Amino acid sequence: MSIIYTPQKYKLADKPMENFIDPEEINEILAAHQQPSIQKVNEVIAKSMQKQRLSLQDTAILLNANEPEMVDAIKSAAKQLKEQVYGRRIVLFAPLYVGNLCINDCTYCGFRSTNKKQERITLGKQDIIDQVVALEDTGHKRLILVYGEHPRYDAQFIADTVKIVYGVKHKNGEIRRVNINAAPLDIEGYKIVKEAGIGTYQIFQETYHKPTYEKVHLKGTKKHFEWRLAGLDRAQEAGIDDVGIGALFGLYDWRYEVLGLLRHVNHFEAVYNVGPHTISFPRIQSASGFEVDKRYEVSDADFTKLVAVLRLAVPYTGLILTAREPGHIRDEILQYGVSQIDGGTNIEMKGYTSHKEQQDLDHEQFEICDDRSLNEVMEELVEDGYIPSFCTACYRLNRTGEHFMEFSVPGFIKRFCQPNAILTLAEYLEDYAPPATKEKGYKLIEDSLKDYDDERFKTKLVERLGRIQAGERDLYF
Ligand code: SAM
Ligand code: SF4
């Protein structure tokens, strides 16, 4: 069965920049679908498997499905759908923290302005180069640059730092895609950042529940719920059609937040005819100076289920999981939803060159639970049959935003993403992998080639693999 992209034309005439979140609507939908029958749950799952986008009501049914047999059915459907849409490839990236100055006071974050214990650091040009060289030397090709919110980190600063990163070429290493996670900008600001050649611009709403939002954002620009909510509309207006949304799980009821995320997707589709490229769902981790109401802590069981529900609700949107989560949770949810993970992550300022044994919360935003090296993550993925990918082809061939949607049709992943994953994996194996990983990696590539019954295409792919082994780099379909 193949997946056909069916954008959901949201019934409301959403407008750019408007506040599309109606808490009453979300709460009513959640309340109207309490304790669904197994029959209802199966109907929604079947709809998702028939390539139809789920409505907020359908999704509420899955969110409220608590019986173990229902949860098993949701997870196994998500697993099947993920394999159909994304194949076995998992995209890898690393975060790079550029500066932790911050004017805001978000109660959950170690960078909050009132946290006097946090050492404030902004990377200079040479610091950035050093960090990027260290990342390239492990094999990374895709980074997300992360910034606190501060007048010093204006659009020009962000653009300049992006350009520095693209300029670092060390041995065979280069960064081919730089994504951004920073404060929302105005339209002019986004235009400046776009000029620097960014990939995705990510902004997490944190919580879609305005009263909670106001309770946890005590100071600074981030206090303004609507300014942030329209943040990615302004990006779209400035021509950045590749955007990532997210919610910070643990601030408010997780079911409400999932519907908030979905409503955000619907808004983009209604107004721009293109959904967000990615959804992130960080779970709150402990941080220096951290004060969070534990009432809304999300259990492992609820967290893994919510990822499966998201997969079923928005099959074509990338789901990003980060090293905030411990290895065993990552391994579980990789199976039924996630398409991108970070590897070899260090979120300490200048952390990729400091080689500290212990995490030091006064030098980083929050605690991470998965501190495996990139190669450890790669090797485990390969052993589990996933194809780790550093592919950046779509962005560089202008297959983003609405264009990308046109390509998200049956066969696209198999024709482009999977072969590009194989080619970037071969680059990694040639340049960075220790012998044991190299052997396992090539065995996986050999097995993956068996999936191709189109002999002409397979010949092309094998020819490119040979060129990589002979020393050529950056080949893609
Ligand atoms: N300063 C910008 C902002 O707030 O949008 C961008 C960078 S912020 C460092 C990136 C994200 O980290 C935030 O949007 C938030 O969701 C997440 N975050 C903050 N504190 C966290 C914590 N204690 N645990 C997990 N994630 C956290
Ligand atoms: Fe600053 Fe972002 Fe942390 Fe809030 S989440 S304190 S804005 S770095």
Side-chain angles (χ1 to χ4, degrees):
M1 187 170 73
S2 52
I3 300 291
I4 296 172
Y5 166 59
T6 47
Q8 169 155 318
K9 294 289 176 201
Y10 202 69
K11 295 285 179 296
L12 295 176
D14 278 17
K15 296 185 182 63
M17 317 288 183
E18 80 178 341
N19 180 351
F20 50 85
I21 291 292
D22 177 351
E24 264 176 45
E25 180 197 29
I26 296 181
N27 282 326
E28 273 167 23
I29 293 173
L30 280 172
H33 298 284
Q34 294 291 332
Q35 297 184 333
S37 65
I38 182 82
Q39 194 192 344
K40 271 263 168 238
V41 172
N42 285 335
E43 275 170 27
V44 175
I45 292 177
K47 186 172 169 189
S48 175
M49 300 309 282
Q50 284 158 10
K51 313 141 203 167
Q52 293 173 36
R53 266 285 310 282
L54 300 186
S55 63
L56 295 178
Q57 287 76 3
D58 296 331
T59 309
I61 290 173
L62 299 187
L63 292 170
N64 283 323
N66 296 323
E67 298 301 324
E69 60 175 321
M70 297 177 180
V71 176
D72 288 349
I74 290 170
K75 288 183 173 178
S76 77
K79 188 173 169 187
Q80 218 182 317
L81 200 65
K82 189 217 156 176
E83 279 168 14
Q84 287 164 9
V85 179
Y86 290 92
R88 286 177 298 125
R89 80 190 221 292
I90 300 283
V91 172
L92 282 151
F93 68 94
L96 173 59
Y97 279 70
V98 179
N100 66 0
L101 289 168
C102 197
I103 52 162
N104 295 323
D105 191 7
C106 312
T107 55
Y108 47 81
C109 178
F111 294 166
R112 62 193 290 199
S113 54
T114 51
N115 181 12
K116 302 298 174 211
K117 285 200 302 194
Q118 182 76 227
E119 191 185 339
R120 305 288 162 171
I121 295 173
T122 302
L123 304 193
K125 183 172 180 185
Q126 191 55 47
D127 299 322
I128 294 175
I129 294 172
D130 293 345
Q131 297 303 301
V132 176
V133 165
L135 283 157
E136 287 180 359
D137 280 352
T138 62
H140 274 295
K141 299 281 185 272
R142 305 167 63 108
L143 298 186
I144 179 149
L145 302 191
V146 186
Y147 309 76
E149 179 160 2
H150 194 269
R152 204 166 145 195
Y153 310 149
D154 61 5
Q156 195 56 54
F157 177 87
I158 295 176
D160 291 345
T161 49
V162 169
K163 287 183 197 154
I164 295 170
V165 172
Y166 279 132
V168 181
K169 314 265 180 207
H170 189 245
K171 299 186 185 156
N172 275 344
E174 62 179 349
I175 299 302
R176 298 176 183 157
R177 180 178 170 109
V178 177
N179 297 333
I180 300 292
N181 187 320
L185 301 173
D186 58 17
I187 293 177
E188 283 315 304
Y190 285 117
K191 287 184 182 160
I192 294 171
V193 173
K194 180 179 160 64
E195 265 287 302
I198 63 159
T200 310
Y201 201 103
Q202 271 187 2
I203 299 173
F204 305 158
Q205 185 59 28
E206 320 299 10
T207 171
Y208 288 93
H209 187 248
K210 191 171 169 181
T212 303
Y213 187 95
E214 288 174 343
K215 251 190 249 162
V216 298
H217 298 108
L218 303 176
K219 249 177 51 186
T221 325
K222 195 161 167 182
K223 262 175 51 179
H224 305 287
F225 180 86
E226 281 84 8
W227 172 253
R228 193 164 181 91
L229 192 64
L232 290 172
D233 284 64
R234 293 191 298 279
Q236 296 270 3
E237 299 290 319
I240 299 178
D241 56 6
D242 187 340
V243 298
I245 63 172
L248 182 57
F249 282 87
L251 293 176
Y252 187 59
D253 181 358
W254 60 271
R255 297 170 193 83
Y256 179 101
E257 303 296 10
V258 172
L259 291 192
L261 285 167
L262 209 58
R263 186 64 189 84
H264 206 160
V265 174
N266 291 342
H267 171 73
F268 280 131
E269 287 183 353
V271 181
Y272 306 104
N273 200 29
V274 54
H277 190 77
T278 55
I279 298 180
S280 300
F281 33 86
R283 225 176 1 165
I284 291 189
Q285 307 296 320
S286 151
S288 133
F290 161 97
E291 286 168 85
V292 169
D293 182 348
K294 295 268 185 207
R295 229 179 340 158
Y296 295 111
E297 216 168 54
V298 184
S299 68
D300 288 354
D302 289 339
F303 186 66
T304 50
K305 182 178 119 180
L306 82 83
V307 178
V309 172
L310 272 174
R311 177 70 304 145
L312 293 178
V314 285
Y316 61 87
T317 309
L319 296 184
I320 303 184
L321 178 70
T322 68
R324 290 173 179 89
E325 294 299 333
H328 68 280
I329 295 287
R330 273 189 166 207
D331 296 344
E332 185 184 344
I333 59 183
L334 268 180
Q335 293 176 50
Y336 40 74
V338 168
S339 51
Q340 288 191 32
I341 60 171
D342 53 347
T345 295
N346 192 318
I347 62 168
E348 194 179 315
M349 304 304 302
K350 303 190 194 176
Y352 293 107
T353 50
S354 70
H355 308 295
K356 277 195 199 149
E357 292 279 311
Q358 290 267 315
Q359 285 182 49
D360 173 358
L361 286 188
D362 292 336
H363 289 90
E364 60 199 14
Q365 191 193 7
F366 49 78
E367 195 170 35
I368 59 168
C369 295
D370 185 349
D371 59 359
R372 290 175 295 173
S373 69
L374 177 62
N375 194 69
E376 283 171 305
V377 173
M378 295 286 288
E379 187 158 326
E380 195 174 308
L381 288 174
V382 166
E383 279 169 1
D384 293 343
Y386 294 109
I387 308 175
S389 176
F390 296 97
C391 177
T392 51
C394 282
Y395 155 68
R396 291 151 88 212
L397 292 171
N398 214 10
R399 293 193 297 238
T400 64
E402 201 175 338
H403 304 290
F404 183 75
M405 292 301 182
E406 288 163 22
F407 287 97
S408 298
V409 292
F412 178 81
I413 300 277
K414 192 161 180 199
R415 183 82 176 66
F416 294 96
C417 306
Q418 179 126 335
N420 288 336
I422 290 174
L423 293 174
T424 55
L425 172 60
E427 283 187 343
Y428 176 84
L429 299 177
E430 290 299 318
D431 291 338
Y432 307 103
T437 317
K438 191 166 175 178
E439 196 184 318
K440 289 176 199 165
Y442 272 117
K443 169 86 180 58
L444 178 72
I445 290 179
E446 219 178 284
D447 290 346
S448 306
L449 289 175
K450 292 185 193 137
D451 289 349
Y452 287 89
D453 29 23
D454 175 346
E455 283 303 323
R456 271 184 52 199
F457 185 72
K458 190 164 149 180
T459 310
K460 263 197 208 165
L461 180 53
V462 171
E463 182 258 335
R464 288 185 194 197
L465 276 170
R467 281 163 58 194
I468 286 175
Q469 285 168 329
E472 266 188 76
R473 292 291 172 267
D474 204 14
L475 302 177
Y476 49 84
F477 289 93

